[in-house]
Amino acid sequence: MKSKYVHLFQPIRLGGLVLRNRVIATSGVCAGDIHTAARISAGGAAMVCSCMTAVACEKSDFYAGAPYAFSNGQYGKSPRDAVRRETRLVRRGGAKFAVELSHVGEYYRPAPGDFAWGVVDKINARGDRVKAMDETAMAAVAEAYAQTARDALELGYDAILFDCASGWLMSQFLSPHYNTRTDAYGGSIENRAVFPLKVLRAVRQAVGRHTAVLCQIPGNEYFSDGAPFEDMIAFVEMAQPDIDAVLINCGNDQNRLQMTKMISTNLEPHLMTAAYTEALKKQTAVPVVLLGAVMNPNEAEAELADGRADMVGLSRPLIADPDFVNKAAENRAQDITPCLRCNSCFHVSTAYKCVGCSVNPDYTQQPQPYPMPTPAPAPRKKVVVAGAGPAGIRAALAAKACGHEVVLVEKEDEIGGLLRVIALERCKTEIAAYLAWLKRQVQNANITLLLNTPATKALLEKLQPDKLIVAIGAQEIVPPIAGAGQAGIYTAPEAIRRMDALPQKIAVVGGGTVGAELALELAETGREVTLIEMTGELASSANLLYRLALLDRVARCGKITVLTDTRCIAAQPGFVTVEKQSGRASIEAGCLVAAAGSRPRTEEAFGLFGIVEDTVTAGNVNKAGNIIDATWEGDACGRDM
């Protein structure tokens, strides 16, 4: 079968490498574990890029004393053997493997009395001393890059990614935000580029002309005094003799808010760097790789077909579905599990606590990098799932994939649970895509679906399950506010469903993630919103990057008044009364929206136990959670027989 994505599946040469298609798996796919990278290689990507690898010199990594990744090790060759196993594991799937070379520059964290190398003398934001690099230090760094490149090739890597973006040392020299030198290494882009070009040439000389060298540059650093993109185009022109492809990203890896431009949330548009890629493509013959929220094969194909890019770089969509590329090749794009851009797969977002994927329950959980055949169940069982929200659906799909007979019971006239409500919000197009995907998978899986059917004990007993999975969700909490019934109060789901009928001035009670999102949705559709939160923080349960992006947008909206450390104590038609430590106040509001969270349906769930011994619960019926919890718990319940 020939793929309809004809441009996406054209081979391309980069230096001496021939890549099987136009998809590069960028460095985020290696952040979870090497098995993920290997799985994505088997899933069809043409090239996989490693996470940043500190080059072979001191002060190049974040921490003093951090070992060189390609060293012999204190007790022999085992570290190099481990690297060799990893490169073979990735390359076994068919992708080429590129190593990303980096030096953190001024972000090195020195021991007391030591210093970091950087562009200029300074005390950085952490309070560490940074010393301006001199000629001797520059020569040492250039040789370290060259040596690391040589070592990487010996250990099985196929290509080099030379990182001049993200806020690391090379970009510190290129960017006027960091580089305020007045000597031959500062000022014009020609001067700021001298050191990065010197290092690049050392790498090229070390690896030869046959090895592909890719270069990553910033499109927009999101600093007011950052490098203009015209300077980056000029840098690519100067670097052109020594590079085989260019990748463009945005933001800065050490500034959390700017990190949301590198790894965008659903609050940003798709194709974040498309304008920069297109502009560079018009100025250079070097192949240009489009990064930044390329979310599906249709978007990728359109950019390639119209000549705005030569390749596409994907990370999170490949984590969400490692078979993304193979499914596109087989014209099965409708079966690609869509990424939500929730950023739970990124360690910084979750403060390193629970890295995972909201739609791929296997991410970071698989002991094997390649898909293992699912054994036929012995014996085949009848599995009944009560509740067709995200947890219930994933449980049903997992049980069906294991070969069991599955009945999915849902009291509403559609499946999806709260996803049906969330998908109505303007910034939730990824949720809408995921909901559509879930519906298709249920339809294609030949699952018996009982709609408009409450999961009563009598019904479930009649179905005679061998296993019962209870996923009946949670109940919205309506806080006790005097007079709220007469004044008009809605739960958050009710407000989203009735968005067009809501008044001009609205009070949202509850400033968690749901409340902050809803306030933003209301304000961006023209309402004046007062957001009332009893604690001192908004969206405290959201992951770090999404929370920053959300609060930044709330602050910039201009139509949201935020009241923290405040309680809503009463309401009457047209007004609400709030109480702060300083006293009480009346606020004009045509209605209230309660976004105070939800309460698990524990009693209802308990009442369904006793039908069959093998009964388990999944999703919000356990505790109010998020999509990642629902996906993992539902999938685990469906697989575990």
Side-chain angles (χ1 to χ4, degrees), residues 324-440:
F324 180 110
V325 180
N326 283 344
K327 288 178 180 178
E330 297 164 3
N331 294 321
R332 295 173 51 222
Q334 72 278 5
D335 290 327
I336 295 173
T337 313
C339 168
L340 304 187
R341 288 202 288 171
C342 66
N343 288 340
S344 293
C345 57
F346 186 43
H347 54 271
V348 171
S349 288
T350 64
Y352 304 83
K353 292 177 181 176
C354 53
V355 176
C357 175
S358 286
V359 296
N360 179 4
D362 289 336
Y363 178 59
T364 73
Q365 303 296 315
Q366 283 284 58
Q368 298 292 332
Y370 295 99
M372 304 296 287
T374 301
R380 188 170 186 260
K381 294 184 177 182
K382 184 176 185 181
V383 180
V384 175
V385 182
I393 295 172
R394 294 305 295 246
L397 291 172
K400 189 67 179 181
C402 291
H404 298 288
E405 178 189 355
V406 179
V407 180
L408 182 57
V409 182
E410 171 54 45
K411 67 179 180 180
E412 302 288 344
D413 59 358
E414 286 184 60
I415 65 173
L418 277 177
L419 294 182
R420 295 169 53 199
V421 179
I422 300 169
L424 298 174
E425 297 181 73
R426 293 176 310 119
C427 289
K428 300 292 185 175
T429 55
E430 284 85 1
I431 295 291
Y434 181 52
L435 175 60
W437 180 84
L438 288 172
K439 289 180 177 180
R440 281 194 300 271

Side-chain angles (χ1 to χ4, degrees), residues 12 32 55 103 114 117 147 157 159-160 166 182 215 227 233 249 259 313 327 353 380 387 431 443 492 497 519 591 634:
I12 187 172
V55 295
H103 187 301
D114 195 6
W117 284 120
Q147 184 60 52
Y157 285 96
I160 307 298
S166 310
T182 57
C215 181
I233 293 175
N249 72 4
M259 195 180 281
K327 288 178 180 178
K353 292 177 181 176
R380 188 170 186 260
I431 295 291
Q443 183 178 6
R497 289 192 180 102
C591 75

Side-chain angles (χ1 to χ4, degrees), residues 288-629:
V288 181
V289 184
L290 171 64
L291 309 181
V294 184
M295 302 308 297
N296 57 65
N298 294 325
E299 292 177 348
E301 177 69 13
E303 295 301 304
L304 298 175
D306 290 344
R308 294 190 290 269
D310 298 289
M311 302 186 72
V312 294
L314 309 178
S315 181
R316 293 172 297 172
L318 301 183
I319 290 171
D321 194 334
D323 289 316
F324 180 110
V325 180
N326 283 344
K327 288 178 180 178
E330 297 164 3
N331 294 321
R332 295 173 51 222
Q334 72 278 5
D335 290 327
I336 295 173
T337 313
C339 168
L340 304 187
R341 288 202 288 171
C342 66
N343 288 340
S344 293
C345 57
F346 186 43
H347 54 271
V348 171
S349 288
T350 64
Y352 304 83
K353 292 177 181 176
C354 53
V355 176
C357 175
S358 286
V359 296
N360 179 4
D362 289 336
Y363 178 59
T364 73
Q365 303 296 315
Q366 283 284 58
Q368 298 292 332
Y370 295 99
M372 304 296 287
T374 301
R380 188 170 186 260
K381 294 184 177 182
K382 184 176 185 181
V383 180
V384 175
V385 182
I393 295 172
R394 294 305 295 246
L397 291 172
K400 189 67 179 181
C402 291
H404 298 288
E405 178 189 355
V406 179
V407 180
L408 182 57
V409 182
E410 171 54 45
K411 67 179 180 180
E412 302 288 344
D413 59 358
E414 286 184 60
I415 65 173
L418 277 177
L419 294 182
R420 295 169 53 199
V421 179
I422 300 169
L424 298 174
E425 297 181 73
R426 293 176 310 119
C427 289
K428 300 292 185 175
T429 55
E430 284 85 1
I431 295 291
Y434 181 52
L435 175 60
W437 180 84
L438 288 172
K439 289 180 177 180
R440 281 194 300 271
Q441 303 315 301
V442 170
Q443 183 178 6
N444 295 339
N446 196 27
I447 289 169
T448 301
L449 180 59
L450 304 180
L451 295 175
N452 298 304
T453 306
T456 63
K457 193 164 188 175
L459 171 73
L460 298 177
E461 287 174 338
K462 185 177 179 180
L463 291 173
Q464 297 183 312
D466 297 305
K467 177 169 185 171
L468 174 61
I469 301 172
V470 180
I472 58 175
Q475 177 83 34
E476 294 294 317
I477 295 172
V478 179
I481 300 172
Q486 292 74 32
I489 185 168
Y490 303 96
T491 64
E494 290 170 343
I496 293 170
R497 289 192 180 102
R498 304 181 185 185
M499 186 71 66
D500 292 343
L502 295 180
Q504 181 66 23
K505 295 187 177 183
I506 300 171
V508 176
V509 181
T513 306
V514 172
E517 288 176 335
L518 182 54
L520 183 63
E521 179 82 4
L522 291 166
E524 291 186 346
T525 54
R527 273 71 167 210
E528 296 178 35
V529 182
T530 302
L531 180 57
I532 303 165
E533 167 56 32
M534 62 188 294
T535 72
E537 293 185 337
L538 297 182
S540 59
S541 65
N543 69 53
L544 173 62
L545 290 191
Y546 182 71
R547 181 173 185 267
L548 284 174
L550 176 61
L551 297 189
D552 177 63
R553 190 149 167 174
V554 166
R556 290 187 289 108
C557 176
K559 286 183 171 290
I560 302 174
T561 300
V562 176
L563 301 178
T564 55
D565 297 310
T566 303
R567 292 178 180 272
C568 182
I569 59 172
Q572 57 184 332
F575 292 91
V576 297
T577 301
V578 299
E579 184 176 60
K580 295 174 67 74
Q581 189 172 10
S582 58
R584 295 184 177 184
S586 292
I587 296 169
E588 189 176 355
C591 75
L592 289 84
V593 176
S598 58
R599 183 180 296 109
R601 299 180 189 272
T602 307
E603 289 301 317
E604 293 177 45
F606 181 72
L608 300 179
F609 276 71
I611 298 170
V612 62
E613 184 174 323
D614 192 0
T615 300
V616 294
T617 54
N620 281 355
V621 73
N622 290 322
K623 64 176 182 178
N626 51 26
I627 296 174
I628 192 171
D629 296 328

